Amino acid sequence: MNTAICMENYKKHLLNIIDLSEEQWTKIEHVLVEKHVKKNEFILVPGEYTEDYFFVESGVIRSYTIDENGKEHVLQFGTENWIVSDRNSAFCKQQSKFYIQAIEDSTVILLNEKLNNLISGLNPNYLVAQNKLIQNHVRSLQDRINLLLGASAKTRYLEFMRLYPNQLSRIPQWMIASYLGITPESLSRVRKEIAHG
């Protein structure tokens, strides 16, 4: 239990989706668990089980897989106020399929079903808000799959810039290329084309 830690981003996140009194927030804050992860440290690796998913209070984390040829494929970056998870483990009680790793020193807040039950007990609107967030996440995943299947490298990169504004300096270029499904060389060409555009 943590009672005197700074969770301002998570508090703002909750207040953006539901109404909470200071008394209700205090009840939530007392059961929240935050985890500090160093740069390159893993939060989760394939084969592990976790009931948690991760709200990024500060820093940058990524989720990725490694294919049978040893190549990494980045699925998601999580910066402040993003949620990153391996739903196979957190929601389906299966072994994790993904690596979740800190790109820089980061702090995440552990979210889980027990916490959801507490918050929804304090404010029933929380479940409705959570459902909207999940639907937005699914829509984003569909858009991402569509881009990977049919969009040009330039279009993918422009969408990345829209999705992660002000994060380009925090994420290594080779990771961005992996996320876009292109080579680092292709990414370099796209960036030059946009710069001279």
Side-chain angles (χ1 to χ4, degrees):
M1 256 182 221
N2 298 300
T3 57
I5 52 181
C6 181
M7 298 183 176
E8 285 305 308
N9 282 330
Y10 184 64
K11 182 178 182 181
K12 287 176 186 173
H13 164 73
L14 283 182
L15 291 173
N16 277 337
I17 61 173
I18 56 172
D19 293 323
L20 283 177
S21 67
E22 276 301 316
E23 181 183 354
Q24 289 173 321
W25 165 248
T26 299
K27 289 179 181 177
I28 295 166
E29 186 181 29
H30 279 280
V31 301
L32 290 176
V33 176
E34 70 175 5
K35 181 179 179 70
H36 301 285
V37 282
K38 296 289 187 186
K39 180 178 180 179
N40 298 324
E41 183 181 345
F42 290 97
I43 302 172
L44 190 67
V45 298
E48 290 183 347
Y49 291 89
T50 183
E51 296 180 351
D52 300 316
Y53 49 110
F54 312 101
F55 177 91
V56 183
E57 181 69 21
S58 65
V60 185
I61 62 176
R62 67 173 177 144
S63 66
Y64 68 96
T65 60
I66 299 178
D67 67 23
E68 57 190 25
N69 297 315
K71 183 178 179 183
E72 292 185 11
H73 301 276
V74 176
L75 287 100
Q76 181 185 8
F77 295 107
T79 59
E80 286 82 6
N81 301 307
W82 284 66
I83 293 172
V84 178
S85 70
D86 184 325
R87 291 185 171 269
N88 291 297
S89 190
F91 296 96
C92 300
K93 315 303 182 196
Q94 297 175 0
Q95 288 183 327
S96 171
K97 293 183 178 180
F98 305 126
Y99 295 90
I100 299 181
Q101 181 187 38
I103 296 174
E104 62 185 33
D105 290 351
S106 303
T107 299
V108 297
I109 296 174
L110 308 185
L111 309 180
N112 51 48
E113 188 176 351
K114 182 179 177 183
L115 179 65
N116 283 343
N117 290 339
L118 169 67
I119 300 173
S120 61
L122 295 170
N123 187 325
N125 292 329
Y126 178 71
L127 291 180
V128 175
Q130 283 291 93
N131 187 53
K132 286 181 181 177
L133 290 174
I134 290 169
Q135 296 308 321
N136 283 336
H137 180 64
V138 171
R139 182 177 52 81
S140 295
L141 287 176
Q142 288 177 330
D143 289 345
R144 176 156 154 66
I145 291 168
N146 190 45
L147 283 171
L148 286 171
L149 290 174
S152 69
K154 180 180 178 181
T155 299
R156 285 184 236 170
Y157 184 63
L158 289 171
E159 177 60 15
F160 176 87
M161 292 172 65
R162 185 195 68 77
L163 197 60
Y164 297 100
N166 309 315
Q167 308 304 332
L168 296 179
S169 63
R170 300 173 73 184
I171 301 171
Q173 293 301 300
W174 69 268
M175 289 186 189
I176 295 175
S178 173
Y179 175 89
L180 298 175
I182 61 177
T183 65
E185 294 76 18
S186 294
L187 176 58
S188 181
R189 284 194 295 271
V190 166
R191 294 180 71 207
K192 285 177 183 173
E193 180 185 343
I194 291 171
H196 296 102

